Amino acid sequence: MAAASPLPTPAPEPAITLPGKTPLGHPIFTRIRLATPSDVPHLHKLIHQMAVFGNLTHQLSATESSLSSTLFPSTKLQPFHSFTIFILDVSLTLFTDTPYHTNPFYNPTEEVVNLDLAIEDPERETFRVGKSDVFAAGFVLFFPNYPSFLAKPGFYVEDLFVRECYRKKGFGKKLFSAVAMQAVKMGYGRVECGVLDWNANAINFFEGMSAKKLQELRICRLTGEALQAYGGTDSE
Amino acid sequence: MAAASPLPTPAPEPAITLPGKTPLGHPIFTRIRLATPSDVPHLHKLIHQMAVFGNLTHQLSATESSLSSTLFPSTKLQPFHSFTIFILDVSLTLFTDTPYHTNPFYNPTEEVVNLDLAIEDPERETFRVGKSDVFAAGFVLFFPNYPSFLAKPGFYVEDLFVRECYRKKGFGKKLFSAVAMQAVKMGYGRVECGVLDWNANAINFFEGMSAKKLQELRICRLTGEALQAYGGTDSE
């Protein structure tokens, strides 16, 4: 923040321009809302991009169909009590379709952000939301966990992803903050997330959000054929 | 399994004894069943013992009341779709109260184990289940998680605990196996659990159950006042 200078007769504020440049400030409207089944094609593409980013496409077996049936089963539990997704939408104009995205469990949060440079989104058409001028820019997938020492639930953030052209603008912070705010609202005791130890960017991000990396905790995973072996009646 | 020996005239099997010793084999009946609200006092004590075991009593704020309201809320979700607890019961005689513990979501699994030495349980009265001769010996607390790359849920095992006098008898394996079997039954893709990196016993246990320790994954945790700071409307 600039220090105030004691000018006795302040001149009227001019429009902010720099010589030879367009006026400063490119507003972009952002919205965080609960995902719906119609977001599945976008989610599938976003998860694929996430796998490419992490060099993990060999681990990816999700399809639109499997995402749809597991994230939005016919006996869908209330959001926040099971697997939950916030979508980050962006638009160059005010959102006019928000009422459609409002539901009893979560009112979309909107915010306008002034950027120095306009964003060129090469994947606009791929990520257009319905027929509007709204585009899916990222998502966060989370669900409750239960730290028994606290005897109250928390949230575990499984994925947090922002498309490349929208990075470094604080949008990931918005998504994570939305989860943390929801946790506080519900009286939950924790928000946790997994990071790869070599991913300094991710660790810096979460530490910047006041999360602490647990030095000693490791995860053991049983999966694939080793898990299937438990399926027989004589597996023990 | 012993190889069959082609004895033409097998003698009647004698009682198994060793010279100067009591007869071999102390049968103990074990049962794994879903916890009910009436288990909360036992669960609270088990969680306390677990905190003592891990030198973590300073992190323990769970009370019977808070466990009860969070694990068994009035709008309780179906077991396995939310926080779920299996109790390990033991008895010196056949279970006669099993029908009471059967429910539409899980049939208790019973098994008899022959021990070389009888177990002296110094906390029998504390952990007596109802008025029966059944005693709570341990528990496992788990809930669904969602690996989006697989696009199908898994289970996360938050706690796995067996009381001291019942350890080293394969009871922890039974509890973990029950979770893994349930995961397979539901078509889930993973079972995961957290261990502290210095806890070689725990790591050996899970590796013995075919789980693999993930070398690179770390958990970041936002909790306490740092989490509460997200509660204000200006927190972002």
Side-chain angles (χ1 to χ4, degrees):
Chain A
M1 192 180 293
S5 68
L7 286 179
T9 52
E13 192 111 327
I16 304 170
T17 56
L18 290 180
K21 294 198 174 178
T22 51
L24 267 186
H26 293 264
I28 185 165
F29 295 83
T30 70
R31 174 176 65 188
I32 290 172
R33 62 172 172 87
L34 282 172
T36 70
S38 63
D39 292 306
V40 164
H42 288 166
L43 279 170
H44 184 244
K45 290 185 183 76
L46 291 168
I47 289 169
H48 184 262
Q49 290 193 358
M50 196 169 60
V52 170
F53 180 80
N55 269 329
L56 294 167
T57 47
H58 58 288
Q59 290 186 15
L60 185 68
S61 58
T63 62
E64 285 190 21
S65 164
S66 61
L67 286 168
S68 188
S69 62
T70 52
L71 292 173
F72 301 98
S74 53
T75 55
K76 175 72 180 146
L77 300 171
Q78 281 185 15
F80 310 121
H81 293 272
S82 179
F83 319 131
T84 305
I85 296 166
F86 283 149
I87 299 277
L88 170 71
D89 287 332
V90 295
S91 172
L92 294 181
T93 56
L94 268 170
F95 292 100
T96 53
D97 62 340
T98 292
Y100 168 73
H101 292 291
T102 300
N103 73 35
F105 303 106
Y106 192 74
N107 281 326
T109 58
E110 296 182 12
E111 203 170 348
V112 60
V113 176
N114 258 301
L115 301 174
D116 289 346
L117 294 170
I119 294 172
E120 282 300 320
D121 182 351
E123 298 173 305
R124 271 183 163 220
E125 291 316 310
T126 308
F127 288 100
R128 187 184 289 274
V129 176
K131 293 179 179 172
S132 63
D133 276 333
V134 176
F135 309 96
F139 78 107
V140 58
L141 189 158
F142 60 108
F143 43 78
N145 63 9
Y146 190 85
S148 48
F149 283 10
L150 298 183
K152 54 183 165 183
F155 281 136
Y156 185 84
V157 173
E158 177 76 20
D159 301 318
L160 176 69
F161 185 76
V162 172
R163 286 202 284 126
E164 191 170 0
C165 64
Y166 293 105
R167 286 182 205 149
K168 311 262 181 207
K169 316 209 177 311
F171 293 168
K173 285 176 70 170
K174 281 188 203 305
L175 281 166
F176 185 83
S177 298
V179 177
M181 289 171 75
Q182 184 65 28
V184 176
K185 189 176 164 189
M186 294 175 75
Y188 282 15
R190 273 186 195 167
V191 177
E192 293 186 326
C193 37
V195 291
L196 295 172
D197 204 30
W198 50 260
N199 192 344
N201 277 346
I203 293 170
N204 288 341
F205 172 83
F206 288 118
E207 289 184 342
M209 302 304 286
S210 310
K212 292 211 177 344
K213 190 177 86 165
L214 304 180
Q215 298 297 341
E216 298 182 326
L217 191 64
R218 299 291 181 276
I219 303 298
C220 290
R221 177 178 293 170
L222 172 66
T223 190
E225 289 180 11
L227 171 61
Q228 293 307 317
Y230 283 85
T233 49
D234 301 322
S235 63
E236 214 280 312
Chain B
M1 192 181 294
S5 69
L7 286 180
T9 53
E13 191 110 330
I16 305 168
T17 56
L18 290 179
K21 294 202 173 175
T22 51
L24 266 187
H26 293 263
I28 186 165
F29 295 82
T30 69
R31 174 177 63 190
I32 290 172
R33 62 173 171 85
L34 281 173
T36 70
S38 63
D39 291 306
V40 164
H42 289 166
L43 280 170
H44 184 243
K45 290 184 183 76
L46 291 167
I47 289 169
H48 183 263
Q49 290 193 359
M50 196 170 60
V52 170
F53 180 80
N55 270 328
L56 295 168
T57 47
H58 59 286
Q59 290 186 14
L60 186 67
S61 58
T63 62
E64 285 191 20
S65 164
S66 61
L67 286 169
S68 189
S69 62
T70 52
L71 290 173
F72 301 98
S74 53
T75 54
K76 176 73 179 143
L77 300 172
Q78 281 185 16
F80 310 122
H81 293 271
S82 178
F83 319 131
T84 305
I85 296 167
F86 282 149
I87 299 278
L88 170 71
D89 287 332
V90 295
S91 171
L92 295 181
T93 56
L94 269 170
F95 292 100
T96 54
D97 62 341
T98 292
Y100 167 73
H101 292 291
T102 300
N103 74 35
F105 303 107
Y106 192 74
N107 280 326
T109 57
E110 297 182 12
E111 203 170 346
V112 59
V113 177
N114 258 300
L115 301 174
D116 290 345
L117 294 170
I119 293 172
E120 282 300 322
D121 182 351
E123 298 173 304
R124 271 185 163 218
E125 291 317 310
T126 308
F127 287 99
R128 187 183 288 276
V129 176
K131 293 177 179 172
S132 64
D133 277 333
V134 175
F135 309 96
F139 77 107
V140 58
L141 189 159
F142 60 107
F143 42 79
N145 63 8
Y146 190 85
S148 48
F149 282 11
L150 298 183
K152 53 183 165 183
F155 281 136
Y156 185 85
V157 173
E158 177 75 21
D159 302 318
L160 176 68
F161 185 75
V162 173
R163 286 201 285 124
E164 191 170 1
C165 64
Y166 294 104
R167 286 181 205 150
K168 312 261 180 206
K169 315 208 179 312
F171 293 167
K173 284 177 69 169
K174 280 188 203 305
L175 281 166
F176 185 83
S177 297
V179 177
M181 288 170 75
Q182 185 65 28
V184 176
K185 189 175 164 190
M186 295 174 75
Y188 283 13
R190 274 186 194 167
V191 177
E192 294 185 326
C193 38
V195 291
L196 294 172
D197 204 30
W198 50 259
N199 192 344
N201 278 345
I203 293 169
N204 286 342
F205 171 84
F206 288 119
E207 288 184 342
M209 304 302 287
S210 310
K212 292 212 180 343
K213 190 177 85 165
L214 304 179
Q215 297 298 342
E216 299 181 325
L217 191 64
R218 300 290 182 275
I219 303 298
C220 290
R221 177 178 293 170
L222 171 67
T223 190
E225 288 180 11
L227 172 60
Q228 294 307 316
Y230 283 85
T233 47
D234 301 322
S235 63
E236 212 278 311

